[in-house]
Amino acid sequence: MPDAKSKKRPAKLKAEPGRPAGVRRADAAHFPGSSVHASLANEIGLRIVRGDYPPGTILPNEAKWSETFDVSRSAVREAIKMLMAKSLLASRPKIGSWVEPKERWNLLDRDVLAWYATSPDREVFLRTVQEFRHIIEPEASAFAAMRRTDEQMAEISQACREMGEATNLQERTRADTRFHLAILRASGNDLLVPLGVLIESALDHLFVFVTRETSDQQHAQRLHEAIEKNIRLQRPAAARAAVHRLLANTDDVIGRSRR
């Protein structure tokens, strides 16, 4: 946190050349409707995560934000509160709001994850999500093979089937996400269920990327079907191994995209 007594304070945001600070640009975002503060928080949050405002930057005050985006000061205050709740910002009287270090950001927040996924540093995002999957999914699948109910199995099987029957990218990736979240629910671990909901948007972004980059969709489908089969037949070790094969395939797809 910046020290009010310290001689070194975070550098204030500089105005764009040729435009006084706080003056609304012709192309500035405008947010109609009743959720102005949420839209404003989304706009500022995205800019923070993608690096427009580096950690330590003191942001414009309420008056400047209000003028820049043509919104009320109360909307600005609510937007700042939302970003503080996500640990992107901190605030103190006579200093204002500043961007917190990245390690303090709540990356499990759905909005922050979505902003992270669209940031220029997408490669880091993809690796982070993939590492998370390596940590969680193999054991979750093994537990699902031991604990799943008939209803949960039906949900897993349906999502897997819908992946194979999908006719466009959106249908396939949404079914893919449902498949993996259904396995987390079937694992029987109460902590994995809310965790899965939190990372749903991250999985969506990852699967969209991987599906676009994958040349052999049939091979990818067979890998998912192997997981479904071994959970259905209640084979924990085989289910775990099937997930490892799927993750290795995804690792290869991400690796090829970097070449």
Side-chain angles (χ1 to χ4, degrees):
M1 181 176 71
D3 186 349
K5 297 181 180 180
S6 172
K7 292 182 180 179
K8 280 191 174 182
R9 289 183 180 175
K12 291 190 177 182
L13 190 67
K14 295 180 180 179
E16 294 178 10
R19 183 174 64 88
V23 175
R24 190 173 188 270
R25 304 184 318 273
D27 62 344
H30 181 62
F31 311 118
S34 58
S35 299
V36 175
H37 65 280
S39 298
L40 180 57
N42 184 76
E43 177 68 21
I44 298 173
L46 177 60
R47 295 183 182 194
I48 291 171
V49 174
R50 75 186 182 194
D52 291 4
Y53 306 141
T57 300
I58 294 179
L59 297 182
N61 59 27
E62 286 182 12
K64 289 180 180 178
W65 280 129
S66 177
E67 194 175 1
T68 299
F69 289 104
D70 192 21
V71 297
S72 68
R73 291 194 183 189
S74 62
V76 174
R77 282 194 293 274
E78 291 303 312
I80 296 300
K81 287 179 183 178
M82 289 180 66
L83 296 173
M84 289 175 65
K86 300 175 188 297
S87 299
L88 267 66
L89 297 179
S91 181
R92 197 163 72 184
K94 297 184 180 180
I95 294 180
S97 301
W98 65 87
V99 180
E100 287 278 66
K102 185 176 179 180
E103 58 267 22
R104 296 185 185 176
W105 298 355
N106 180 10
L107 291 179
L108 287 180
D109 180 273
R110 291 174 64 90
D111 292 331
V112 179
L113 272 175
W115 301 330
Y116 191 13
T118 57
S119 68
D121 204 0
R122 184 180 62 178
E123 182 181 318
V124 173
F125 168 77
L126 294 174
R127 288 203 310 267
T128 300
V129 177
Q130 190 64 2
E131 286 174 1
F132 173 88
R133 297 182 66 204
H134 276 282
I135 294 168
I136 298 296
E137 290 192 17
E139 293 307 315
S141 297
F143 279 120
M146 293 186 286
R147 299 172 174 173
R148 56 85 176 163
T149 64
D150 291 342
E151 291 78 9
Q152 290 169 335
M153 190 65 241
E155 185 179 12
I156 295 169
S157 299
Q158 180 178 351
C160 187
R161 183 171 59 254
E162 289 176 356
M163 281 184 64
E165 296 172 350
T167 58
N168 58 56
L169 177 66
Q170 183 178 17
E171 287 181 2
R172 182 172 178 83
T173 54
R174 289 304 299 156
D176 200 348
T177 300
R178 288 197 303 274
F179 175 79
H180 291 279
L181 294 181
I183 291 174
L184 293 185
R185 286 190 291 271
S187 71
N189 186 295
D190 290 341
L191 292 179
L192 289 183
V193 176
L195 187 58
V197 173
L198 286 171
I199 67 163
E200 182 175 357
S201 63
L203 292 176
D204 276 344
H205 285 284
L206 175 64
F207 295 151
V208 166
F209 173 83
V210 171
T211 302
R212 282 175 175 163
E213 296 291 325
T214 299
S215 57
D216 190 350
Q217 294 292 349
Q218 290 185 344
H219 176 62
Q221 181 66 24
R222 287 194 296 271
L223 291 172
H224 284 81
E225 289 172 354
I227 297 170
E228 186 274 343
K229 177 181 178 180
N230 285 300
I231 293 175
R232 175 164 40 84
L233 296 179
Q234 298 185 297
R235 299 171 177 170
R240 184 188 296 114
V243 172
H244 280 301
R245 288 193 293 273
L246 174 64
L247 293 175
N249 183 71
T250 304
D251 290 339
D252 289 342
V253 173
I254 295 174
R256 287 197 300 271
S257 72
R258 293 157 54 189
R259 296 170 191 163

